[in-house]
Amino acid sequence: MINQLTNRFVYMSADGTVDRPILGAILGEEQTLYIDAGNSKRHAKTFREAVGKNYSTRSSMTALTHWHWDHSFGAAYDPLSPLIATGLTYQALQPLLGLDWSDEALDERVRQGQEIAFCADYIKKEYEGVERVIQVKLPDITFTDSITLYLGGVSCHIQHVGGVHAQDSCVMYIPEEKVLFLGDVLGPAIYDGPRYYAARDFLRIVEKIKKYPAAWYIESHYRPVTAEEFWQDINESCVLAELVIKFKDNKQVIEREWAKCIGRELGDEDKAVVHQFMLGEHR
Ligand SMILES: [Zn+2]
């Protein structure tokens, strides 16, 4: 269940069936930093108990990559572990306090456009068969641009990056381990009609990511990948972003040029991404 990626960084894999993102833990000599709290107390408990059993952990802190339910709802599992996030994350979580999470209430919020069906469906799945007591825990410590946490022999630099997926998105870099935890910062906008990417914003985020000399890159809903694999994939997306900026609505030319640049034929998934990048140009 627990995977040890480097000497002092361990994680639990994502589970797409209940929209559980990867959870990470940095094992400092003095403190353990949990990266993201998970989508439920159950999710947090599974990971933290396993970490506690396999490694000697002392006190802990938890840092959120962004406010989305699947990353934050597990925080109530350990209310004594200080929760660290951006001020924007705090602001995004605050309106969720005290909401009713029953099927009926979720459905009603979806009808009124306050929630999206994608999240409502997965909340129902994750909390199926267990008492649906969802307590939203607000951050105890907030920061604006960046913060560095020293955990004893290892540290974590948290940098606010933003983007269309979530305005409060952060990346977390562990220099001693060369691990960059990206959360969903490279993901599409999901709360705002059909999913889309914003080409210029995507390129801006990639420029920020480039500053970290990481060996491992972790996107929350995927798996850890090496620098080589990550950059091959991201460079392809950057080529597409530039083509979309250049050719705007000319889908045929964009698809043709992208296939030429990346040296392969486009599959259905590639074409869906082209569509999502083109949608973003009209926002
Ligand atoms: Zn997200």
Side-chain angles (χ1 to χ4, degrees):
M1 176 181 304
I2 292 195
N3 305 287
Q4 182 146 11
L5 185 67
T6 66
N7 200 15
R8 288 166 291 192
F9 183 86
V10 299
Y11 71 97
M12 185 165 80
S13 300
D15 179 357
T17 63
V18 280
D19 203 26
R20 285 182 170 184
I22 293 175
L23 299 182
I26 307 168
L27 309 168
E29 283 157 24
E30 286 149 24
Q31 296 231 53
T32 299
L33 179 69
Y34 288 107
I35 297 182
D36 277 339
N39 71 352
S40 64
K41 284 188 186 179
R42 202 161 47 144
H43 188 201
K45 182 174 190 266
T46 309
F47 180 53
R48 292 179 191 211
E49 281 186 356
V51 171
K53 219 167 85 183
N54 288 284
Y55 304 95
S56 60
T57 60
R58 293 192 179 90
S59 60
S60 75
M61 300 189 277
T62 305
L64 298 179
T65 56
H66 62 303
W67 68 274
H68 289 166
W69 79 279
D70 50 323
H71 302 256
S72 66
F73 279 10
Y77 168 70
D78 190 358
L80 297 180
S81 177
L83 189 62
I84 301 155
T86 68
L88 291 173
T89 308
Y90 187 103
Q91 284 169 28
L93 285 171
Q94 200 170 31
L96 306 185
L97 285 179
L99 285 185
D100 179 354
W101 300 95
S102 64
D103 282 5
E104 298 72 33
L106 277 167
D107 292 343
E108 183 56 29
R109 288 207 288 281
V110 171
R111 261 195 298 277
Q112 293 187 358
Q114 295 160 349
E115 182 56 89
I116 55 170
F118 175 79
C119 293
D121 288 349
Y122 280 109
I123 290 171
K124 290 176 193 172
K125 278 183 194 156
E126 169 64 24
Y127 289 87
E128 201 176 281
V130 290
E131 208 186 340
R132 201 176 297 172
V133 182
I134 294 175
Q135 291 162 283
V136 174
K137 179 174 156 58
L138 291 178
D140 302 294
I141 300 162
T142 63
F143 62 93
T144 303
D145 181 56
S146 70
I147 191 170
T148 303
L149 304 171
Y150 297 94
L151 309 165
V154 62
S155 61
C156 181
H157 177 75
I158 309 177
Q159 175 70 52
H160 173 240
V161 173
V164 292
H165 179 81
Q167 274 189 12
D168 60 331
S169 271
C170 296
V171 300
M172 304 189 185
Y173 186 57
I174 308 138
E176 296 83 358
E177 308 297 283
K178 288 190 174 294
V179 172
L180 184 63
F181 199 96
L182 294 159
D184 293 348
V185 74
L186 290 167
I190 60 168
Y191 276 99
D192 198 11
R195 293 184 169 207
Y196 68 88
Y197 291 96
R200 285 177 184 79
D201 200 47
F202 187 87
L203 294 171
R204 174 189 70 85
I205 293 167
V206 171
E207 282 308 307
K208 292 221 168 200
I209 292 173
K210 270 187 192 157
K211 293 184 187 138
Y212 300 98
W216 290 100
Y217 294 78
I218 304 176
E219 289 188 80
S220 288
H221 295 278
Y222 193 45
R223 58 177 166 79
V225 295
T226 61
E228 191 186 357
E229 187 178 351
F230 178 77
W231 285 112
Q232 168 152 13
D233 194 39
I234 292 303
N235 287 337
E236 288 190 356
S237 299
C238 288
V239 170
L240 173 61
E242 275 156 12
L243 289 169
V244 168
I245 291 168
K246 189 170 171 193
F247 295 109
K248 295 184 174 65
D249 282 332
N250 201 335
K251 191 173 188 165
Q252 240 185 335
V253 174
I254 292 168
E255 287 187 349
R256 188 190 67 211
E257 291 300 310
W258 195 34
K260 206 157 71 183
C261 289
I262 63 180
R264 61 179 169 83
E265 264 184 56
L266 303 187
D268 287 346
E269 234 172 86
D270 296 319
K271 287 181 181 173
V273 175
V274 171
H275 177 69
Q276 290 175 335
F277 265 100
M278 289 179 67
L279 271 183
E281 290 303 282
H282 292 279
R283 308 299 298 203

